[in-house]
Amino acid sequence: FRDGLAAINAKYDVFSEVRGEGLLLGAVLNAKFTGRSREFLLASADNGLMSLVAGTDVVRFAPSLIIPKEDILEGLARFEKAVAKVVNG
């Protein structure tokens, strides 16, 4: 999961860090995207993915502890589409 978020960040440069324990992760938006976590939440929802926000600068993920790897990969693919939508307008 962390590796997938790191790959998305390498492509779009939106996070300053990914923090958390286990599957409860928060992707902290960098200075360029400060205050825009809600945009990522809405774009995720448009792509059929539920994400959360933790303040105005953190996108939070809290999947089930028994989620299959395939579902994580699908979720990351949907989140990448959401990130692309926010980054590209």
Side-chain angles (χ1 to χ4, degrees), residues 4-86:
L5 290 172
I8 291 169
N9 195 42
K11 187 172 181 179
Y12 296 99
D13 190 30
V14 293
F15 311 130
S16 61
E17 70 173 314
V18 174
R19 60 186 181 205
E21 296 289 328
L23 292 177
L24 180 59
L25 299 177
V28 182
L29 299 175
N30 64 27
K32 184 176 177 184
F33 295 95
T34 297
R36 297 177 63 186
S37 63
R38 186 172 188 276
E39 292 178 46
F40 288 90
L41 176 135
L42 294 174
S44 294
D46 287 346
N47 283 287
L49 178 72
M50 188 173 113
S51 64
L52 305 167
V53 296
T56 59
D57 301 328
V58 179
V59 180
R60 179 174 285 171
F61 303 94
S64 166
L65 294 177
I66 58 169
I67 189 169
K69 184 177 181 179
E70 296 79 23
D71 289 351
I72 291 286
L73 296 175
E74 176 67 25
L76 286 167
R78 291 178 185 209
F79 185 64
E80 183 172 353
K81 290 178 184 176
V83 169
K85 179 178 179 181
V86 173

